[in-house]
Amino acid sequence: MRTVELAGKSVPVIGQGTWRMGENPEARRDEVAALRLGIAQGLTLIDTAEMYGEGGAESVVGEAIRGHHDEVFIVSKVYPHNASRQGTVAACERSLKRLGVGCIDLYLLHWRGQYPLSETLEAFERLREAGKIGRWGVSNFDVADLQALANPDCATNQVLYNPQARGIEFDLLPWSREQRLPTMAYCPIAQGGQLLSSPVFQQIAERHQVTPAQVCLAWVLRQEGVIAIPKAVSPQHVRLNAAAANLRLSAQDLAAIDQACPPPLRKQPLSMV
Ligand code: NDP
């Protein structure tokens, strides 16, 4: 599996998302099995958040990584409404308990909220000194937010990125690359939606004998410093996602995607889901 440096560690360029996991007890067994299968396939970076299933996803992750703590890199996130000086620490401690780990490798502010960034950062620093988090970062920050943050310790920015949502290519992505700030791309396969049945993705997939979702992942990963975190519960999807790390798109493929999903020509508001 191709790797990239994130928060001082070497992680796979493809990880596993967990949004929508931990919401339905009947799905839990399959979710745990999917994450374990992903770990076995090399998808050892797992992205979660206290928001997902209101703690349910973290608890699914906790079960899936039992016995595998040394192999995985866990990313979790604090709700903005919890991101005060005290609230961040308390939220992190609840997440640690649900995950069953002593340390979250990378802890993110989920999006910018009502608390001053300085308060959240103070809490992140306290958590880091106490060994409860490895590093910290942010999510859904645009260039202006990162400039307001102005902190070289920030380890990543996690944002929406796929061929249908290319706005960050205009400014955020080049800016982040210049700052050597890794980008984590969420919804990298556009939530498994219509994009996957579009003719251009189907034709490219046929050419490479892969699937349109794998084309999407290879497209997201064509750039340095980008990590993709697709979410999959279906075992077949997990296997395909892991295999997508080996797919390289040609100039012809990229030109066809540019025609179907044009790159931004001007600044666009940051897309979020
Ligand atoms: P994704 O783009 O990862 O799409 C997930 C959907 O695609 C699921 O329905 C899944 O189905 C399906 N799928 C997965 N793999 C394949 C495949 N190979 N072929 C066809 N379909 C496939 O969307 P998400 O919204 O889940 O985003 C990914 C992750 O990013 C989240 O889970 C979360 O961890 C993170 N995220 C972060 C946000 C933030 O604000 N920071 C916001 C949104 C997401 P199935 O599950 O049935 O296999």
Side-chain angles (χ1 to χ4, degrees), residues 16-20 47-48 52 77 108 110-111 139-140 158-159 162 185-193 196 211 213-214 217 229-238 240-241 272-273:
Q16 301 190 76
T18 63
W19 191 21
R20 309 270 184 234
D47 178 79
T48 190
Y52 305 158
K77 315 182 195 80
L108 312 183
H110 208 147
W111 63 90
S139 176
N140 298 301
Q158 184 177 116
V159 288
N162 63 54
Y186 73 69
C187 303
I189 49 177
Q191 303 196 298
L196 304 186
T211 67
Q214 290 178 302
L217 286 173
I229 46 166
K231 170 260 180 187
V233 175
S234 140
Q236 176 67 352
H237 288 164
V238 174
L240 289 168
N241 293 348
M272 284 175 72
V273 292

Side-chain angles (χ1 to χ4, degrees), residues 61-80:
V61 173
E63 188 175 337
I65 65 173
R66 215 177 289 146
H68 297 275
H69 288 182
D70 295 344
E71 293 160 55
V72 293
F73 182 97
I74 300 296
V75 183
S76 193
K77 315 182 195 80
V78 59
Y79 261 132

Side-chain angles (χ1 to χ4, degrees), residues 5 7 11 19 37 39 63 71 80 115 119 135 143 153 168 173 181 194 198-199 219 221 232 236 257 264 272:
E5 194 176 310
V11 300
W19 191 21
L37 173 64
I39 294 168
E63 188 175 337
E71 293 160 55
Y115 289 107
E119 270 205 37
R135 293 281 302 271
V143 175
D153 290 337
I168 65 168
L173 209 48
L181 178 68
Q194 277 190 342
S198 80
W219 180 89
L221 296 172
Q236 176 67 352
I257 294 173
M272 284 175 72

